[in-house]
Amino acid sequence: MSEFGLTTAIGTVSGQDRTRLKKDLKSVIDRSATARPEQRTEAIRQFFAKLTAAERASLAIEQPDVVGRLDGAPATVRYAANRLLIERALAHEQKDLAALKASDPKNPQVTLLEKRVARMAEFLQPRVTGDGRSVPRQFLLFDPAGDGRVAEVFGDLAKAKHVAVMVPGITNRLDNYDSIANDAVALLKDRASGGELPESAVITWLGYDTPEFGDSVLPTKAKAGAPALHSFRAGLEAVKGAKFALFAHSYGTLLSSKALQEGTPFDSVVFMGSPGLGPTIKSAADLKLKPATQVFAMRAPGDWVSYTEAHGRDPAEMADIRRLATGRSSGHSEYYIPKNTSLDNLQTILTGDGCVQTFMGSPKLDDEQFGAANVRVLVKELQSRVPQWKAGELATAFEPIIKGVMNGGTDIPTLVALTTKTLADSGLGGYFASQDIAQIVGRSLTEAGPNQR
């Protein structure tokens, strides 16, 4: 408790008072359950504002699973509650891992459990900042269920005038969370001093069930996660006048688009490597953001996720969205690499200090990456012929072919043969006649272009 500025004198809270506190908190949560996130989180804030430090600590200890994820509760209380949850989850999964190694050491679940245990053990260790300070890790959310959900604060949120919320995309889970954390560290690092950007904080929000490749073409998990992001943002506390930036990547851009359409407020938004913001979003104006919201997009050469436009038009090509330069970034996962233009741009947007570097290249897709325009046509034509619930299987099966097209080594006969075989192997061949395949492939290699939407 003391590590996060809370009193440890919980012995001053009687058993009767602890019972009352739990009952009163449940009552506030139940009464505001159907309210908008802003009203619900404000009710939670007011409840905790009336409590003593000892009473807050008591709730964190006795109900960490409730308090740790409670949007609107003080950040320090959530940090303490989630630390307890991490300790308990780590002990539980260490026992599971030991038992599995003893009974079935070759089980593939052993590797997964080892990675999860390693991540949780890291969470309990102090984080060393760029200037050598050792600080406790701060979690606003920790839930080990399923693939796991995590939200971590880097920096001092209570003093930050500039706050970035990072929303990742597909295949991000508790076991590989360290890659997201590394991006956050890079974003917060001040290149000039080697320490952390002054008056700034970065939050990683892995607060939804991210899809795998198979279901990434479906909007289901984005729709389910958008209200959670809205609530999380409403519950954040910061200094008066603080500016909030939303940095969304990959499938996280689709979720963020839906959260923004719900009215989730951010002062600036960056969409990176986006597969589209939804079929009805043709421009930033369609998001209906509050006036003066700045909207940017990044697309690095070779980012095939953006090329597919699996969920609508790429925001990097929308006229009212400012496309930013990405420097040495390439592919889908290099937007946060250190000492690079894309990271410089993100830091400039976070701090509001300096000018961003805009994209100055050719607007033609194939000038940026050979085969990119072909990929768009191929994916759209294939998806239009299978039921929606089969789209995920289609995406998984065709990922190697998509990369092959962009590598430039696939002519029409080869692509027809590969497409036919892939459809047959995946059990999707019944949706296509042989002439359909030839027609689709021919169109993808001859009719592609930036206007083929």
Side-chain angles (χ1 to χ4, degrees):
M1 295 296 107
S2 59
E3 194 170 47
F4 299 111
L6 295 178
T7 180
T8 56
I10 60 170
T12 61
V13 182
S14 68
Q16 185 177 10
D17 284 340
R18 290 199 296 271
T19 301
R20 173 185 55 80
L21 285 170
K22 288 189 287 186
K23 181 179 179 181
D24 289 348
L25 177 58
K26 183 178 185 304
S27 178
V28 172
I29 294 172
D30 290 345
R31 287 200 309 268
S32 59
T34 58
R36 280 188 58 80
E38 289 76 13
Q39 285 72 48
R40 183 172 63 252
T41 54
E42 182 57 29
I44 299 299
R45 283 193 187 95
Q46 291 180 8
F47 171 81
F48 276 92
K50 298 174 183 177
L51 304 182
T52 66
E55 289 174 330
R56 293 180 178 187
S58 175
L59 281 173
I61 290 173
E62 299 221 354
Q63 291 195 292
D65 54 332
V66 174
V67 175
R69 68 182 71 185
L70 189 57
D71 297 324
T76 53
V77 179
R78 295 175 72 175
Y79 296 161
N82 284 311
R83 183 176 180 86
L84 291 174
L85 292 178
I86 293 166
E87 290 174 351
R88 294 175 186 179
L90 175 59
H92 177 76
E93 295 204 11
Q94 283 175 328
K95 290 181 180 179
D96 288 346
L97 176 59
L100 189 59
K101 280 185 171 180
S103 63
D104 188 7
K106 295 184 178 181
N107 191 311
Q109 287 296 308
V110 168
T111 300
L112 175 62
L113 273 173
E114 286 177 335
K115 290 179 179 179
R116 285 171 61 96
V117 164
R119 294 293 82 75
M120 288 186 278
E122 291 168 358
F123 292 169
L124 296 177
Q125 298 301 312
R127 180 175 69 87
V128 179
T129 65
D131 56 6
R133 291 179 297 113
S134 182
V135 297
R137 297 185 69 167
Q138 307 167 135
F139 293 91
L140 291 173
L141 171 67
F142 175 77
D143 182 358
D147 288 337
R149 303 188 187 198
V150 178
E152 183 177 7
V153 176
F154 296 79
D156 190 343
L157 184 59
K159 297 179 180 178
K161 295 181 180 179
H162 317 286
V163 182
V165 178
M166 298 167 53
V167 180
I170 63 173
T171 69
N172 284 287
R173 306 174 301 271
L174 173 58
D175 62 286
N176 60 20
Y177 170 79
D178 53 326
S179 65
I180 310 172
N182 290 338
D183 288 343
V185 170
L187 178 59
L188 192 60
K189 184 176 182 179
D190 188 337
R191 286 181 63 177
S193 68
E196 295 183 344
L197 294 171
E199 300 181 321
S200 300
V202 173
I203 304 172
T204 57
W205 187 79
L206 182 58
Y208 74 109
D209 182 16
T210 61
E212 299 297 315
F213 285 105
D215 57 348
S216 65
V217 295
L218 302 176
T220 309
K221 291 184 176 179
K223 291 178 180 177
L229 178 58
H230 190 172
S231 178
F232 182 80
R233 168 63 186 90
L236 289 178
E237 55 183 322
V239 299
K240 185 176 181 180
K243 300 293 184 181
F244 286 84
L246 176 63
F247 294 164
H249 177 243
S250 189
Y251 191 87
T253 66
L254 179 63
L255 183 151
S256 295
S257 168
K258 295 183 182 303
L260 291 168
Q261 292 172 69
E262 289 183 3
T264 309
F266 283 94
D267 298 284
S268 54
V269 178
V270 184
F271 298 115
M272 294 172 274
S274 176
L277 306 181
T280 64
I281 306 301
K282 310 296 183 184
S283 68
D286 294 331
L287 295 171
K288 302 188 185 305
L289 305 174
K290 67 179 183 179
T293 303
Q294 299 183 83
V295 187
F296 306 91
M298 292 186 188
R299 183 180 71 213
D303 191 337
W304 69 272
V305 173
S306 285
Y307 298 149
T308 64
E309 291 194 330
H311 292 285
R313 191 175 179 191
D314 182 355
E317 296 187 9
M318 295 180 184
D320 58 350
I321 291 182
R322 195 172 179 186
R323 183 176 175 185
L324 302 177
T326 56
R328 294 181 291 105
S329 301
S330 65
H332 188 55
S333 303
E334 294 189 351
Y335 293 95
Y336 289 96
I337 58 174
K339 299 180 181 180
N340 186 44
T341 304
S342 59
L343 183 61
D344 291 345
N345 275 330
L346 292 172
Q347 290 183 327
T348 297
I349 294 166
L350 169 59
T351 63
D353 182 19
C355 298
V356 294
Q357 300 180 53
T358 56
F359 175 79
M360 301 297 289
S362 168
K364 295 182 179 179
L365 272 179
D366 279 342
D367 287 343
E368 176 181 303
Q369 168 68 52
F370 180 83
N374 308 113
V375 165
R376 284 193 176 174
V377 175
L378 178 64
V379 170
K380 290 182 185 301
E381 289 289 334
L382 289 169
Q383 287 184 343
S384 70
R385 287 166 167 78
V386 300
Q388 186 182 38
W389 63 88
K390 290 288 186 180
E393 296 174 32
L394 185 74
T396 301
F398 272 83
E399 185 185 357
I401 292 180
I402 289 171
K403 292 181 177 179
V405 171
M406 291 198 303
N407 288 335
T410 311
D411 55 22
I412 290 181
T414 301
L415 189 54
V416 168
L418 284 173
T419 300
T420 302
K421 183 177 187 304
T422 299
L423 288 170
D425 292 347
S426 63
L428 298 171
Y431 295 103
F432 300 84
S434 57
Q435 61 268 28
D436 291 337
I437 297 174
Q439 182 184 57
I440 290 169
V441 169
R443 188 172 298 163
S444 73
L445 294 182
T446 60
E447 297 183 15
N451 295 319
Q452 295 291 321
R453 293 194 178 91

